[in-house]
Amino acid sequence: MPIKQALCLFVLCLSSIATPCEEILAPTPQSASITGIVTDVDNAAVPGATIVVDGPASSDHRTAVANDSGAFALNGLRPAASYHLTIRAKGFADWTSPAVTLTPGQLLEMTDIKLTVGAVETTVNAVFSEQIALEQVKAEEKQRVFGVIPNFYVVYDQQFVPLTTKLKYQLAFRAATDVVSFAGAGFIAGINQASASKPSYVQGAKGYGERFGAAYANGASDILIGGAILPSLLHQDPRYFYQGTGTKKSRALHAISAPFVAKGDNGNWQFNYSSVGGDLASGALANLYYPKQDRGAGLVFSSALLTTGGRITNALAQEFILRKMTSNSKSGN
């Protein structure tokens, strides 16, 4: 064999041997990782949540469990594969990520993983809350000062449970139609007639009847508007929440602020639009049935101021006096 041909054959042999070696020595793509923190919608950590990641191949399946801080890490993930994360936790709806494709060596931090309460559990909690609220209203409807005068709009229970719209109307209707409410209107009509004060109706039986109707309409409209209609529309609680603890000063301030501060259905304190609006609306309606000479803007604001003053006086009495005189209230200060 000529030397030139022998050299060519030797070079080809070396080339065929080197190629597999190069393939064996080629670097493997670096694996990737995913980290994150599982929280609820209020940014509170959700420990013990199960994190599952799945890719196109069965070998891409990984799981992890969130620690006490809600943190997790999924390591050894194959780059260039499309992954989906699913997060599950007791009491929460499943959370699923959009498709995630990783690059070699990437450490991807998942943000805004927020679990929402599961629909079934929300329904159960709502039903349970409504049952407690119903029991509270039933108890409140039995509260009477000296066993006679209604004291329905005072909450002695320290556990706050929002009223449903139905319960707000139920409580208002119960207060407006109580026999003592009619008796109170008759008493006020008698005083107005005896003193010949406003409203300026005539004397005699006719005038007393008109005064009685006006006094009852004033009270009933205020109860229905400020105790049911506006609280339902504005999601506010129309009741007075007895404090009973703390210094006398803090309790007095709590009572004095009652006409201006209410609990929302969410449990937060807020401006009492329902009470203020109810007082103004009731005064405005009085312009429909008061004598012509008594009507006007002055009637609206004077009625509202008088009612507000009465609310403050009543709240102070509730905080420091009336609980001991109220039947069926829970024992306390």
Side-chain angles (χ1 to χ4, degrees), residues 154-244:
V154 181
V155 182
Y156 295 112
D157 194 339
Q158 294 300 313
Q159 179 184 13
F160 172 73
V161 182
L163 299 180
T164 62
T165 296
K166 179 181 178 181
L167 288 175
K168 290 173 184 177
Y169 277 93
Q170 175 182 318
L171 194 59
F173 183 77
R174 181 74 179 83
T177 59
D178 190 85
V179 64
V180 177
S181 297
F182 289 103
F187 179 73
I188 292 172
I191 292 177
N192 289 340
Q193 177 133 325
S195 62
S197 59
K198 294 182 180 181
S200 306
Y201 295 112
V202 298
Q203 291 294 318
K206 178 184 178 181
Y208 178 79
E210 291 173 330
R211 288 182 175 86
F212 172 82
Y216 180 76
N218 289 344
S221 62
D222 205 356
I223 291 172
L224 291 173
I225 297 173
I229 297 174
L230 290 180
S232 298
L233 293 174
L234 302 175
H235 304 289
Q236 294 186 320
D237 199 302
R239 300 171 294 177
Y240 174 75
F241 290 86
Y242 176 77
Q243 180 173 310

Side-chain angles (χ1 to χ4, degrees), residues 89-278:
K90 185 178 180 181
F92 294 91
D94 289 356
W95 183 92
T96 303
S97 74
V100 175
T101 302
L102 305 172
T103 58
Q106 182 181 5
L107 175 58
L108 175 64
E109 183 178 358
M110 300 288 291
T111 59
D112 293 330
I113 300 176
K114 297 184 184 299
L115 305 187
T116 59
V117 177
V120 174
E121 186 156 326
T122 300
T123 303
V124 171
N125 288 340
V127 172
F128 183 65
S129 175
E130 184 173 346
Q131 289 175 341
I132 296 176
L134 178 60
E135 292 302 317
Q136 281 189 347
V137 169
K138 286 181 178 179
E140 289 157 11
E141 289 177 340
K142 296 177 182 178
Q143 295 172 177
R144 291 181 182 270
V145 178
F146 302 122
V148 178
I149 303 173
N151 203 17
F152 303 157
Y153 276 91
V154 181
V155 182
Y156 295 112
D157 194 339
Q158 294 300 313
Q159 179 184 13
F160 172 73
V161 182
L163 299 180
T164 62
T165 296
K166 179 181 178 181
L167 288 175
K168 290 173 184 177
Y169 277 93
Q170 175 182 318
L171 194 59
F173 183 77
R174 181 74 179 83
T177 59
D178 190 85
V179 64
V180 177
S181 297
F182 289 103
F187 179 73
I188 292 172
I191 292 177
N192 289 340
Q193 177 133 325
S195 62
S197 59
K198 294 182 180 181
S200 306
Y201 295 112
V202 298
Q203 291 294 318
K206 178 184 178 181
Y208 178 79
E210 291 173 330
R211 288 182 175 86
F212 172 82
Y216 180 76
N218 289 344
S221 62
D222 205 356
I223 291 172
L224 291 173
I225 297 173
I229 297 174
L230 290 180
S232 298
L233 293 174
L234 302 175
H235 304 289
Q236 294 186 320
D237 199 302
R239 300 171 294 177
Y240 174 75
F241 290 86
Y242 176 77
Q243 180 173 310
T245 58
T247 64
K248 290 182 178 180
K249 180 180 178 181
S250 70
R251 294 175 66 185
L253 290 174
H254 173 73
I256 293 171
S257 67
F260 312 105
V261 181
K263 268 195 176 182
D265 289 344
N266 58 5
N268 297 328
W269 292 103
Q270 52 193 246
F271 184 75
N272 199 343
Y273 295 102
S274 300
S275 178
V276 174

Side-chain angles (χ1 to χ4, degrees), residues 31-35 53 61-64 72-78 107:
S31 62
S33 301
I34 297 177
T35 64
V53 62
H61 181 81
R62 300 281 193 283
T63 61
F72 69 89
L74 292 159
N75 301 314
L77 301 178
R78 186 163 54 93
L107 175 58

